[in-house]
Amino acid sequence: MTKFNELNLNPKVLKAIEEAGYETPTPIQEGAIPAALEGRDVLGIAQTGTGKTASFTLPMITLLARGRARARMPRSLVLCPTRELAAQVAENFDTYAKHLKLTKALLIGGVSFKEQDALIDRGVDVLIATPGRLLDHFERGKLLLTGVQIMVVDEADRMLDMGFIPDIERIFSLTPFTRQTLFFSATMASEIERITDTFLSAPTRVEVARQATASETIEQGVVMFKGGRRDREASQKRNVLRALIDAEGEKCTNAIIFCNRKTDVDICAKSLKKHGYDAAAIHGDLDQSQRTKTLDGFRDGTLRLLVASDVAARGLDVPSVSHVINFDVPGHPEDYVHRIGRTGRAGREGKAITICSSRDEKALAAVEKLIQKDIPRLDNPIQAEEPKAEAPKPERKPRAAAPKKTEEKKIEPRKDPEPKGRGRGRRNDRGPDVVGMGDHLPSFIALSFDERRAG
Ligand code: AMP
């Protein structure tokens, strides 16, 4: 097995690695670091949890240790799909470069332009950014990308999902074609393949086993959930969620609960809090300071349950999550792999439980096809009971009031002054309002006196 000190890394980087407590390089590090240090392009097919961040930051720091930054012209660029991931990459740089004097700037939403502009003006060695924010800075004329010697694209498959590929192509075209590119993706969709064929030059390809197959330490299970009445289904599903958490008891030291929709992230977190659970939400619509606070709380163990959307949870590095609960089966099967990869990290045991309602059964089949195994069915802890366990909910009120509105609408036609003719109405429709005799005027009245006499 290769050791870190056989990889030609800068001695100050090695010292930081030792202090971080890493003993041996992970497979992606073993494959990517030597090639990156030789100046080659790298195509890494790996996902979070494999040590891929260090596989590009360690050689970058080693390469950047020689040379100096120039004003407004960053020497390297790391593109990440989300702010959280970008912030995490920045933290990694701080950890591994702590014995070197390298400068960095972080261009992400929620961080002030002014401060980052000032850093860039002075010159940075590493610029870490989300694509949109980077282009904003570029268009404001504050930044030149012609000095970029190393460019990293992290989690390209997620960039594709989020519609960033045109931005990435543009950024590639703004950097010198002599740059070195380190490109990472968990999967190789055809669109990603097209990008790597266009922008990478004879890359060293390093592929590590999919996390789902590698991490046998994750115990998986799925609860099939059949809701009762449609208007109660959501609250019944939340009952199931609480019952699952309760059933795990103390074994569930902390958990990430994934929902497919941001609105459900909010509702679930609120509902859990209302029932006395220590929970908070994280999704893209929350402001940065709120997200940071929630994440810090979850990392340091003061928050037990983090309710999250896929995008917000992307790249979260929380090493000791005991449980992942999928409140919904994810729409993209790859997301299942990403989600459950939050637990059972670094050889620890972990448990991933999914709630699958009838309409998610197809999505579940897609997940099982991808991971090539059947997920064991668990007993529904409350067997679609009526939601008596759920405390009375204020949100019911407007629903109860709703039918009235429809009734009001139904009787509206009666007010219509236009006569509608007979026989069209429902049984309880007494027809148009009659003014005087209306159109029920007996025909004999309409006859002249003479006509009537004539019979
Ligand atoms: P990543 O795949 O970059 O998200 O890394 C996942 C986790 O593995 C992080 O907590 C890293 O700090 C940790 N890690 C990275 N490289 C190593 C290593 N060689 N040995 C032990 N832990 C590592």
Side-chain angles (χ1 to χ4, degrees):
M1 195 184 277
T2 317
K3 296 207 174 90
F4 274 116
N5 60 13
E6 292 166 349
L7 291 176
N8 276 332
L9 289 163
N10 181 302
K12 290 181 175 166
V13 174
L14 287 175
K15 189 168 175 227
I17 294 171
E18 204 185 318
E19 285 165 4
Y22 303 168
E23 285 169 6
T24 46
T26 64
I28 185 84
Q29 290 163 1
E30 213 175 315
I33 293 173
L37 287 176
E38 280 170 24
R40 301 195 56 163
D41 283 0
V42 171
L43 170 57
I45 304 164
Q47 43 194 226
T48 48
T50 54
K52 74 174 163 55
T53 318
S55 79
F56 61 82
T57 43
L58 300 178
M60 275 176 87
I61 296 167
T62 299
L63 293 170
L64 293 168
R66 300 173 230 133
R68 290 184 63 196
R70 287 168 58 194
R72 288 208 204 166
M73 292 174 76
R75 298 163 69 203
S76 68
L77 173 64
V78 182
L79 293 172
C80 302
T82 65
R83 321 176 198 189
E84 277 74 21
L85 188 58
Q88 224 153 47
V89 170
E91 264 175 39
N92 271 260
F93 266 103
D94 289 343
T95 307
Y96 307 134
K98 67 180 182 187
H99 301 301
L100 287 148
K101 279 201 185 83
L102 291 180
T103 50
K104 68 160 200 321
L106 185 60
L107 301 187
I108 55 176
V111 174
S112 95
F113 273 98
K114 217 173 147 198
E115 265 171 47
Q116 304 304 305
D117 276 348
L119 285 172
I120 291 168
D121 269 350
R122 263 181 269 145
V124 288
D125 296 299
V126 187
L127 183 59
I128 303 162
T130 48
R133 192 66 173 214
L134 179 83
L135 288 172
D136 283 349
H137 276 264
F138 179 80
E139 268 146 25
R140 289 165 66 243
K142 299 282 180 188
L143 177 65
L144 286 168
L145 295 175
T146 43
V148 172
Q149 296 154 21
I150 309 170
M151 174 163 156
V152 176
V153 178
D154 197 11
E155 308 218 346
D157 48 341
R158 182 52 51 148
M159 304 256 197
L160 176 67
D161 284 353
M162 295 172 78
F164 286 153
I165 293 299
D167 286 351
I168 298 293
E169 287 186 79
R170 172 136 189 257
I171 295 166
F172 264 124
S173 69
L174 296 171
T175 59
F177 84 103
T178 49
R179 69 166 190 265
Q180 178 183 8
T181 309
L182 312 175
F183 192 100
F184 291 83
S185 186
T187 52
M188 287 301 287
S190 58
E191 185 68 358
I192 306 272
E193 202 130 2
R194 184 182 67 75
I195 302 284
T196 55
D197 287 350
T198 313
F199 296 105
L200 270 62
S201 147
T204 300
R205 189 181 165 112
V206 187
E207 186 162 359
V208 299
R210 296 196 67 92
Q211 210 172 353
T213 46
S215 195
E216 294 301 333
T217 53
I218 306 173
E219 183 187 340
Q220 299 175 55
V222 59
V223 172
M224 305 309 286
F225 164 72
K226 287 204 171 24
R229 271 175 39 186
R230 207 159 169 219
D231 59 339
R232 292 193 186 164
E233 197 177 310
S235 75
Q236 285 175 334
K237 207 173 172 192
R238 291 194 294 272
N239 286 349
V240 175
L241 172 67
R242 290 196 305 278
L244 285 172
I245 298 170
D246 293 347
E248 291 303 308
E250 283 181 5
K251 279 185 282 166
C252 179
T253 50
N254 60 351
I256 305 181
I257 298 160
F258 284 98
C259 301
N260 289 359
R261 285 163 293 271
K262 283 183 222 166
T263 45
D264 286 337
V265 169
D266 274 333
I267 295 171
C268 254
K270 266 191 207 144
S271 157
L272 285 167
K273 268 192 263 181
K274 200 175 71 184
H275 285 87
Y277 295 78
D278 180 20
I282 181 165
H283 60 67
D285 288 350
L286 299 172
D287 72 51
Q288 185 64 24
S289 62
Q290 229 176 329
R291 295 208 275 181
T292 311
K293 202 174 138 228
T294 305
L295 273 183
D296 286 349
F298 192 61
R299 273 208 197 99
D300 67 26
T302 49
L303 174 70
R304 183 180 174 222
L305 305 173
L306 181 71
V307 189
S309 64
D310 287 289
V311 170
R314 189 75 184 164
L316 279 191
D317 181 19
V318 187
S320 58
V321 177
S322 71
H323 286 67
V324 164
I325 302 180
N326 293 314
F327 185 70
D328 307 295
V329 181
H332 299 287
E334 296 81 17
D335 281 338
Y336 178 83
V337 180
H338 290 306
R339 287 179 180 188
I340 71 163
R342 308 277 133 211
T343 182
R345 290 189 138 193
R348 288 186 190 87
E349 298 212 332
K351 193 161 179 180
I353 308 173
T354 301
I355 306 175
C356 177
S357 57
S358 317
R359 81 175 79 91
D360 282 347
E361 279 172 20
K362 260 197 188 157
L364 181 69
V367 167
E368 291 183 319
K369 191 168 167 224
L370 178 76
I371 63 171
Q372 292 177 4
K373 74 182 214 185
D374 292 338
I375 304 171
R377 273 31 178 185
L378 306 174
D379 286 338
N380 182 340
I382 54 170
Q383 288 305 345
E385 271 175 37
E386 283 301 289
K388 51 179 179 266
E390 178 107 72
K393 286 186 302 166
E395 68 199 49
R396 288 252 175 89
K397 277 183 193 152
R399 269 193 221 143
K404 257 193 191 163
K405 264 193 183 164
T406 10
E407 289 235 297
E408 268 161 28
K409 267 199 181 143
K410 272 186 199 160
I411 58 172
E412 240 167 37
R414 290 198 199 154
K415 291 182 193 144
D416 190 341
E418 287 285 324
K420 293 234 167 110
R422 282 189 222 156
R424 288 187 66 200
R426 295 174 300 275
R427 261 196 291 160
N428 64 351
D429 186 348
R430 282 164 289 157
D433 289 348
V434 174
V435 180
M437 285 191 173
D439 60 353
H440 299 290
L441 191 72
S443 54
F444 74 93
I445 291 181
L447 299 175
S448 67
F449 182 70
D450 286 342
E451 280 170 315
R452 265 185 263 160
R453 252 211 332 195

